[in-house]
Amino acid sequence: MESVELIAVGPRSSTVPVSFEITDGEEAGLRMKFSGRDWQSFTASNLFRCLLSARAELEAEQLLLCCQGARPDVFPSGMQQQMENGRYAAVLSGSVGEEEVVDIFASAEPSQVTSVEAQRVAVYHFFNLPLSDTGGDA
């Protein structure tokens, strides 16, 4: 199990420390603790999907998590989700050449991150896909 400390940014640029425990095994798992609350657990097919669920919980408290996985231009390919358990993701750019890959749990500046829904919309636009009204994962 790996521990990661990040921050979340809230209204009026207030910051809240957020602790994570990452389990990268057959079933991906993530535990999150913030603001004196009990640990919350998330399991999914890969770590990126666990992170999406954790971010949704933070967003319910008007907090955006400041990590690379919360950037609107970051999304793991299908191969990254399977082979790397969603821990690493590509930075989506129109440039031809070498692909930049980031650790989704690496910290990011507050100005670089967005909500789960805004990230989904950005990914759909990047790949020129029609947006559905159902929302959900990016």
Side-chain angles (χ1 to χ4, degrees):
M1 185 175 325
E2 177 186 356
S3 296
V4 174
E5 300 293 325
L6 293 167
I7 63 163
V9 65
R12 295 175 298 283
S13 300
S14 61
T15 59
V16 174
V18 183
S19 300
F20 288 99
E21 291 180 347
I22 304 164
T23 305
D24 190 5
E26 213 170 284
E27 181 174 57
L30 186 63
R31 288 180 9 120
M32 174 179 74
K33 184 177 175 105
F34 69 100
S35 296
R37 297 178 186 200
D38 292 334
W39 286 96
Q40 292 178 277
S41 297
F42 308 93
T43 56
S45 58
N46 64 61
L47 291 171
F48 187 77
R49 297 215 178 271
C50 290
L51 183 61
L52 288 173
S53 296
R55 289 173 53 206
E57 287 294 321
L58 289 167
E59 288 175 24
E61 301 297 323
Q62 297 183 333
L63 297 169
L64 292 178
L65 186 63
C66 296
C67 68
Q68 294 294 312
R71 290 174 43 186
D73 62 342
V74 169
F75 191 77
S77 69
M79 187 167 65
Q80 287 168 324
Q81 290 183 50
Q82 289 180 355
M83 301 203 53
E84 298 171 342
N85 211 10
R87 175 66 187 256
Y88 299 94
V91 175
L92 306 175
S93 72
S95 310
V96 176
E98 209 168 298
E99 177 181 86
E100 181 182 357
V101 175
V102 295
D103 180 342
I104 63 170
F105 293 104
S107 65
E109 293 296 319
S111 62
Q112 294 178 302
V113 300
T114 193
S115 68
V116 171
E117 178 60 15
Q119 182 182 41
R120 181 183 80 84
V121 169
V123 169
Y124 274 59
H125 280 271
F126 179 82
F127 289 109
N128 202 26
L129 298 170
L131 285 170
S132 67
D133 293 332
T134 59
D137 293 344

